[in-house]
Amino acid sequence: MSPELYSRSHLDTIPPPYNGPLSPLDKSAFKKSLPVLAVRVPAAQTATILHSEATRKYLLGLPKVKPVVGDPSAPDGDRLVLLGVSDQADLSPESLKVLKDAGNGFTDYNLTLDYDYWTASEILQAILPESLRKGAPVGFAATGHIAHVNLNDEYLPFKNTIGQLFLDKNKTIKTVVNKLDNIDTQFRFFQMEVIAGEPNLIVEHHESECRFTFDFSRVYWNSRLHTEHDRIVQLLQPGEVLADVFAGVGPFAIPAAKKGCAVVANDLNPWSYKYLSQNIKDNDVSDEVRAFCEDGRIFIRDVFKKVLDAPFPAYTGPKLSKTALRKLQKEAMRNPGGKPSPPKESLPPRKRISHIVMNLPDTAILFLDAFRGVLATQELQELYPTMPMIHCHCFTRELEQEQAEVDIKKRVEKKLGRPVQDDVAIRKVRSVAPGKEMYCISFRLPLEVAYNA
Ligand SMILES: C[S@@+](CC[C@H](N)C(=O)[O-])C[C@H]1O[C@@H](n2cnc3c(N)ncnc32)[C@H](O)[C@@H]1O
């Protein structure tokens, strides 16, 4: 048994029941005096006791409490080693011997636990009526400085207290919000109310070494999609062009641009577009990302022609940081006869989209018919010897992978009006709710669809 387990199982460390006001909490009411056994030890002997096999498991192992303190009765001399028991009778004969041999006798010690000691969850258990203790919220999801919870109705009378607890116990959290159940059906952001802390919903969040700023109450953001954002970006080769139909504030677009891709990013929510544009600037990818605020259907219809008419400049290798660029400039000045880099004009501009990402899982499949005829002109057809890859996110109620794949492929092909090729990949992204799974289907746009043949 670990020391902590021993102490926890032998000492009553649960906070006292709380009957004070809910808001603000009377924090001073959370005090508990815990009598423990201590052994007086000369400073030089402390290590013997702390490391002895026989005594180790009896040491006080409470989180945030030091097991060795100064002896108040001998300020310049002995230490007190605190034990996780309150009586010598609870010690094994071997440990008793070590403690007696190395120490200068036992004494009682009163440990005081207070509001700072207990976790938010432990304090909440002391506040809630018995009927609500099981199933009480234990944690939150964090985005930047905001903690978000989704409280069931029965916990609403305690919402401010719960918010205050999360705030007090987590130094990086400055605002706590309760997400209300009604999600905006079109733009997928949640209604929410601030239940504690500063009423500031403008978040600065870091993901994949990019900085994202956005108003949490007006745009879609889900930190749980981090792995999926990374996965898609890893599929892209530097220099390729990505079209992001439902870009949000840029979690695919901006990391892809940092990797060397050119990106056309679109979102119909004007707030997403505003923050997408800001994030493009803040991450120094203005040359690589173009932002649009259009309906996805119109964006799909026009984007191939847009990139053809206004191509991205040629890819000339990884983008250098400002410091690296300055270093190169200095070197070039010191060594004017050095090897010149190839002139940019000699490389072809980028006119061809290689990947399209469509993360609007609720309805993205319904947009697929918009690809009919997108490459109907000869000019575009000549540019696309291979068709672009589409990565389309979706939900399914099928819980088994095999059935989920059948369901998703069927719906995609129905909307396209054509079968997708055999190298289609269908990956589970995450379980969203009981009986609801999120997937991503990746397939090459069928030529017959693109040509409207
Ligand atoms: C699930 S979010 C995904 C955002 C982002 N790509 C991500 O991974 O976090 C879907 C986005 O699609 C946008 N959207 C919804 N309907 C749209 C439409 N008809 N056309 C374009 N964008 C739309 C929403 O505003 C939202 O930002």
Side-chain angles (χ1 to χ4, degrees):
M1 195 180 331
S2 79
E4 183 176 330
L5 283 179
Y6 191 88
S7 306
R8 289 219 136 188
S9 56
H10 283 72
L11 299 172
D12 173 13
T13 59
I14 58 169
Y18 178 78
N19 297 310
L22 283 180
S23 191
L25 274 182
D26 176 9
K27 295 181 188 172
S28 67
F30 292 92
K31 248 197 180 84
K32 182 164 194 162
S33 193
L34 203 63
V36 296
L37 191 62
V39 58
R40 284 203 175 87
V41 187
Q45 289 295 321
T46 320
T48 313
I49 289 186
L50 292 182
H51 298 122
S52 148
E53 231 1 89
T55 56
R56 213 161 24 182
K57 74 169 181 173
Y58 293 103
L59 300 176
L60 186 78
L62 298 181
K64 295 190 263 181
V65 180
K66 289 190 184 138
V68 181
V69 295
D71 183 350
S73 65
D76 299 325
D78 289 351
R79 309 272 167 82
L80 290 183
V81 174
L82 308 182
L83 304 176
V85 296
S86 45
D87 201 309
Q88 287 184 46
D90 293 329
L91 298 166
S92 68
E94 307 85 66
S95 62
L96 203 53
K97 181 167 180 339
V98 175
L99 294 172
K100 279 184 175 165
D101 290 352
N104 286 335
F106 291 96
T107 182
D108 291 329
Y109 184 83
N110 248 340
L111 196 66
T112 305
L113 304 182
D114 62 13
Y115 184 81
D116 291 335
Y117 171 77
W118 287 290
T119 64
S121 192
E122 286 169 326
I123 292 185
L124 188 56
Q125 290 293 315
I127 295 170
L128 291 173
E130 174 121 36
S131 59
L132 290 182
R133 284 183 201 151
K134 203 169 157 230
V138 287
F140 54 82
T143 304
H145 69 281
I146 299 180
H148 36 111
V149 289
N150 195 347
L151 297 177
N152 290 339
D153 286 354
E154 60 272 31
Y155 294 99
L156 291 180
F158 301 91
K159 64 184 181 186
N160 301 114
T161 312
I162 293 170
Q164 190 60 48
L165 285 172
F166 288 154
L167 211 55
D168 286 348
K169 298 290 175 181
N170 299 278
K171 294 295 162 243
T172 55
I173 297 300
K174 304 285 176 238
T175 306
V176 186
V177 300
N178 182 32
K179 279 188 176 179
L180 307 174
D181 272 341
N182 35 341
I183 181 169
D184 180 278
T185 43
Q186 188 178 24
F187 296 143
R188 317 304 297 166
F189 59 83
F190 284 92
Q191 307 281 316
M192 57 187 70
E193 66 167 334
V194 175
I195 55 174
E198 305 161 5
N200 169 19
L201 297 178
I202 312 289
V203 169
E204 185 181 311
H205 184 80
H206 293 254
E207 184 178 288
S208 307
E209 292 173 34
C210 301
R211 171 153 69 103
F212 295 97
T213 302
F214 49 90
D215 184 335
F216 196 52
S217 64
R218 294 188 195 272
V219 305
Y220 177 90
W221 181 270
N222 188 343
S223 298
R224 292 197 188 98
L225 289 179
H226 184 184
T227 319
E228 180 61 3
H229 295 146
D230 272 356
R231 185 183 75 83
I232 297 281
V233 173
Q234 272 167 27
L235 298 175
L236 313 174
Q237 295 303 317
E240 287 185 322
V241 179
L242 167 73
D244 188 350
V245 185
F246 309 109
V249 297
F252 290 117
I254 289 169
K258 286 220 164 172
K259 186 177 179 174
C261 295
V263 187
V264 254
N266 174 66
D267 202 287
L268 185 59
N269 178 351
W271 288 97
S272 298
Y273 172 76
K274 170 184 145 88
Y275 286 107
L276 171 64
S277 306
Q278 177 174 338
N279 293 332
I280 291 169
K281 278 204 199 94
D282 290 350
N283 288 279
D284 197 20
V285 287
S286 301
D287 292 341
E288 289 81 12
V289 189
R290 294 177 193 159
F292 295 88
C293 185
E294 298 175 349
D295 179 70
R297 199 165 265 288
I298 294 170
F299 177 76
I300 291 169
R301 193 193 62 198
D302 297 344
V303 70
F304 295 89
K305 182 82 168 61
K306 266 186 184 139
V307 176
L308 171 69
D309 290 345
F312 286 94
Y315 176 62
T316 52
K319 194 168 173 174
L320 297 172
S321 68
K322 283 184 184 148
T323 327
L325 210 58
R326 269 198 298 274
K327 209 171 142 200
L328 273 184
Q329 278 163 352
K330 270 191 194 160
E331 263 169 31
M333 276 161 66
R334 268 202 304 268
N335 179 16
K339 206 174 147 201
S341 50
K344 276 189 182 177
E345 315 74 78
S346 66
L347 296 165
R350 289 172 286 175
K351 300 179 179 176
R352 201 175 81 85
I353 294 169
S354 301
H355 295 266
I356 296 141
V357 65
M358 301 174 67
N359 181 18
L360 178 61
D362 221 19
T363 56
I365 290 179
L366 303 180
F367 285 75
L368 289 175
D369 59 344
F371 284 97
R372 279 197 204 136
V374 285
L375 302 180
T377 65
Q378 198 184 348
E379 195 185 20
L380 278 166
Q381 287 170 7
E382 280 167 5
L383 198 59
Y384 283 84
T386 50
M387 292 290 112
M389 287 298 294
I390 299 183
H391 310 280
C392 179
H393 292 88
C394 57
F395 293 132
T396 178
R397 295 267 168 211
E398 297 292 350
L399 303 184
E400 297 299 327
Q401 172 92 19
E402 219 168 295
Q403 275 97 309
E405 288 186 11
V406 173
D407 167 55
I408 293 164
K409 198 159 170 254
K410 198 166 107 194
R411 284 189 284 143
V412 165
E413 292 183 337
K414 186 166 178 222
K415 204 66 200 164
L416 288 170
R418 293 283 177 167
V420 290
Q421 285 169 355
D422 292 340
D423 62 348
V424 51
I426 304 179
R427 294 217 160 62
K428 180 169 161 183
V429 176
R430 66 187 200 97
S431 295
V432 176
K436 191 173 179 184
E437 313 281 301
M438 176 177 171
Y439 273 80
C440 177
I441 175 169
S442 296
F443 59 95
R444 219 166 265 293
L445 173 64
L447 181 139
E448 300 80 1
V449 175
Y451 285 18
N452 205 8

